[in-house]
Amino acid sequence: MRTLKGYEAIQVAEQHNILLYDLENKKEVSPAEAREYIERRRDPDVFIVYDWPDTDEEAERIVLREYQKALLERQESEARIFDLSVALSGGLPIHEVAAEAAAKRLVEQGKLEIVETRDDGNIYRIPQVMYFKRSFLDELRHVVCHQCAHLDPEGPFHEICLMNLVQFIKDTDLNTTDIVEVRASRTPTRRSTRPVHPSISMEWLSKTALATRKKWKEVLKPMLTDGLQVDVAKRPQRPEQPTEPPVHVQPVEEHRPQDLFKRTKISKNELIQFLRTVEIVDENGEVGHLRQENQKLLEKLAMKQREVEEIEKQRAFAEKQYQEVQRDLDVLLEALQIAKKRAPSSPSSGHVIDATYESSYDDDARS
């Protein structure tokens, strides 16, 4: 794994249609923008691409390892590349675009399979191709009776037959190659994608998703502040369906990304209903980074809260000690005053010290 710099990074970015990171301005730029900056006498090495694999084999090994860990440690059998990155502390140790390309190569090799194809990334899973060898199952059937020879894990067994099975597996020195074999992968069950609201054109949604992916910062803010502003291809409505706002029919190819949203009035319920049908694509993993930063801030806040509670406990303890000392001084003062009153007044008597005590509490009370 390495960091690409300069023209090598630009070439890879152009090949895979990804952004570069500008070290001087601390922002992402396109390959075309990077070339323009270089023509203006900027150092090419300030434009980089992080975590790019040295070889395709390295990328495939990392991606397959992460899917195996997700299955073993978190029991997640299906996930997108982005889902894996969010679930890991610090994200994937490889660029997401390189990881996606590696996953597609693993599909061609039969080591991964595609469960569902979506605009925001394919959902992959490790195929179930491992089976018990028939020869191994025949050996197991020899240690049980003919009634328990079905070897169905959820079926009924005699107690002694189960004990014999466990003992046989325990005493026999077996390797993985002795008990399992690889068979042809089953065709994965394709899940249907989320149904789209009938009043919204699929063609329009596809175009909107593309524009959102390219300029989500400019598009998302007007959507949430100024209200939803759309042009939708007109579709026939059923009588029982709610009436949608008026739309204008225009050829899709004539729309520019900034023209996909046109100012119009829409109710809050209609806005919420539309947002439920749209999935915002987060290609750069910024949502995942924000979640991690939010978690760190919450941990710091909890730590500060614990410190405040500890200081409050110390303050309460000090206040309690002060009150106890105050009571002791009051008792001592009262005892000295009683002793003074009872002492004889003759000159031959011993000297009695007139002790008085005024606390800051008394001074406050007089004031």
Side-chain angles (χ1 to χ4, degrees):
M1 208 64 58
R2 59 199 177 105
T3 298
L4 305 180
K5 297 181 179 180
Y7 289 105
E8 183 183 13
I10 295 174
Q11 183 178 1
V12 170
E14 291 174 339
Q15 181 181 356
H16 295 277
N17 192 25
I18 60 177
L19 299 175
L20 301 102
Y21 188 74
D22 186 346
L23 292 175
E24 288 185 356
N25 296 327
K26 308 297 183 183
K27 66 177 184 177
E28 292 180 327
V29 297
S30 66
E33 291 173 333
R35 291 189 180 277
E36 291 179 2
Y37 288 138
I38 293 174
E39 291 177 358
R40 300 174 188 172
R41 304 297 181 87
R42 288 192 60 187
D43 184 6
D45 288 343
V46 302
F47 303 105
I48 63 174
V49 174
Y50 285 112
D51 301 329
W52 200 261
D54 293 325
T55 62
D56 291 347
E57 291 75 14
E58 180 187 20
E60 294 165 9
R61 185 171 60 254
I62 292 174
V63 171
L64 186 59
R65 181 192 64 197
E66 295 302 332
Y67 271 94
Q68 291 171 342
K69 287 176 60 178
L71 182 61
L72 178 64
E73 298 175 0
R74 302 190 299 274
Q75 288 76 48
E76 295 180 3
S77 59
E78 303 174 358
R80 298 175 300 166
I81 295 296
F82 176 74
D83 298 331
L84 288 182
S85 180
V86 172
L88 296 174
S89 176
L92 277 173
I94 182 175
H95 197 285
E96 286 191 19
V97 174
E100 187 72 34
K104 292 179 180 178
R105 292 194 298 270
L106 289 171
V107 171
E108 296 175 356
Q109 300 170 18
K111 297 179 181 179
L112 286 180
E113 61 186 11
I114 298 177
V115 180
E116 181 181 346
T117 301
R118 292 166 44 173
D119 291 339
D120 58 351
N122 297 331
I123 298 179
Y124 300 96
R125 71 181 176 194
I126 300 176
Q128 295 173 285
V129 295
M130 307 301 293
Y131 294 82
F132 280 115
K133 283 187 174 181
R134 293 180 177 85
S135 58
F136 175 70
L137 294 177
D138 291 339
E139 291 184 32
L140 291 182
R141 291 188 178 97
H142 285 115
V143 299
V144 297
C145 69
H146 69 280
Q147 293 178 338
C148 296
H150 54 78
L151 300 181
D152 180 7
E154 295 184 356
F157 286 88
H158 297 123
E159 182 180 0
I160 188 63
C161 290
L162 282 178
M163 294 175 63
N164 288 341
L165 280 175
V166 174
Q167 193 64 34
F168 173 80
I169 296 174
K170 179 180 179 181
D171 296 341
T172 306
D173 187 12
L174 297 172
N175 295 321
T176 303
T177 56
D178 297 329
I179 62 176
V180 296
E181 63 181 0
V182 181
R183 301 180 191 173
S185 175
R186 297 173 297 178
T187 303
T189 302
R190 302 278 179 168
R191 293 202 303 264
S192 59
T193 57
R194 182 174 52 187
V196 181
H197 194 275
S199 63
I200 300 176
S201 169
M202 284 295 297
E203 189 175 49
W204 179 86
L205 279 180
S206 176
K207 197 72 176 179
T208 303
L210 178 61
T212 305
R213 185 181 299 114
K214 291 180 178 179
K215 293 187 177 181
W216 68 272
K217 288 184 179 179
E218 292 81 5
V219 173
L220 183 59
K221 186 175 180 180
M223 287 176 61
L224 298 179
T225 57
D226 297 334
L228 184 63
Q229 303 149 2
V230 296
D231 277 341
V232 186
K234 191 172 182 180
R235 294 184 59 179
Q237 300 291 327
R238 296 182 181 179
E240 62 272 10
Q241 293 176 340
T243 303
E244 296 292 331
V247 296
H248 303 279
V249 179
Q250 292 183 0
V252 175
E253 57 273 13
E254 294 180 3
H255 283 286
R256 295 173 298 174
Q258 60 268 28
D259 294 333
L260 292 175
F261 297 89
K262 183 180 178 182
R263 177 161 302 193
T264 185
K265 292 183 178 180
I266 187 170
S267 67
K268 181 176 67 176
N269 292 335
E270 291 171 340
L271 172 61
I272 294 174
Q273 187 179 22
F274 172 78
L275 291 178
R276 287 175 178 171
T277 65
V278 176
E279 183 172 0
I280 299 173
V281 179
D282 182 25
E283 287 187 334
N284 299 325
E286 295 189 14
V287 173
H289 294 313
L290 289 175
R291 289 175 179 170
Q292 293 177 4
E293 293 178 2
N294 180 53
Q295 183 63 29
K296 292 179 181 178
L297 291 175
L298 290 176
E299 292 174 356
K300 290 182 180 179
L301 180 61
M303 184 182 300
K304 293 295 183 183
Q305 184 65 27
R306 289 193 294 268
E307 292 177 0
V308 171
E309 293 175 356
E310 184 64 26
I311 294 174
E312 182 64 21
K313 290 180 181 178
Q314 295 177 0
R315 186 197 65 79
F317 179 75
E319 183 178 0
K320 182 178 180 181
Q321 286 186 322
Y322 170 79
Q323 292 175 354
E324 291 177 354
V325 171
Q326 182 71 36
R327 286 195 299 269
D328 293 339
L329 290 176
D330 292 339
V331 172
L332 178 60
L333 178 60
E334 184 178 356
L336 291 174
Q337 290 176 347
I338 294 174
K340 177 182 176 182
K341 293 178 180 180
R342 294 181 177 179
S345 57
S346 61
S348 61
S349 61
H351 295 286
V352 177
I353 299 174
D354 185 5
T356 60
Y357 169 78
E358 292 184 358
S359 65
S360 58
Y361 176 80
D362 297 329
D363 294 339
D364 296 339
R366 293 190 189 99
S367 60

